[in-house]
Amino acid sequence: MNGRPTESNPSATALDPREDPATEATSELATTSDRPFDPGGSPELHRSLAEVKGQAQFLLYLADQIEESLQQFAEEADASHSAFLCKVLSMYSGQLEVKYQSLGERIAETCQEVYLTVRERDAG
């Protein structure tokens, strides 16, 4: 077993004779990597898309932190801790604004790269 109980006995901890899914995925990758793979765009486009996703995840993180800090701020009775939370909120909101602007620019560049990729494929 690979750390999971068997279906016949959910509390059993005996080893399952089947191969570990992680090993199966690795062996599958080995066979698929032998075949040519066209990711449907240039490596630059895929790097750009990964960057957009990373920046978007960071924006979500900042928004979550702002929500959490606002909740704490609303419930805080201590003036010194409230002042600290004000500074934290100011820092988070400043970062959110800057990252939002840079993400918008990066999205526009990435969309242009997608457009060019599609156009090249249609022309070819």
Side-chain angles (χ1 to χ4, degrees):
M1 182 174 162
N2 39 9
R4 290 176 285 197
T6 61
E7 289 180 23
S8 60
N9 184 358
S11 63
T13 56
L15 291 178
D16 187 342
R18 292 178 292 184
E19 190 175 343
D20 184 35
T23 308
E24 291 174 12
T26 305
S27 62
E28 184 178 315
L29 285 175
T31 58
T32 57
S33 65
D34 297 337
R35 291 182 243 139
F37 175 69
D38 179 13
S42 70
E44 295 82 20
L45 174 57
H46 289 276
R47 277 191 292 276
S48 181
L49 288 167
E51 185 180 327
V52 166
K53 289 195 273 185
Q55 287 183 13
Q57 287 175 339
F58 185 63
L59 285 175
L60 289 172
Y61 166 78
L62 286 172
D64 287 343
Q65 293 304 305
I66 289 171
E67 281 182 335
E68 186 178 313
S69 296
L70 284 170
Q71 174 95 25
Q72 291 174 5
F73 183 70
E75 297 169 356
E76 188 56 54
D78 181 25
S80 61
H81 196 251
S82 291
F84 170 75
L85 287 171
C86 282
K87 294 210 181 272
V88 167
L89 283 163
S90 177
M91 178 192 67
Y92 284 147
S93 63
Q95 278 292 308
L96 185 64
E97 184 177 9
V98 167
K99 293 298 179 183
Y100 174 78
Q101 290 171 353
S102 67
L103 179 60
E105 294 166 2
R106 193 67 188 133
I107 288 172
E109 292 169 4
T110 302
C111 289
Q112 187 63 30
E113 290 179 44
V114 169
Y115 172 74
L116 292 173
T117 300
V118 170
R119 214 168 132 184
E120 287 172 0
R121 184 143 315 193
D122 284 347

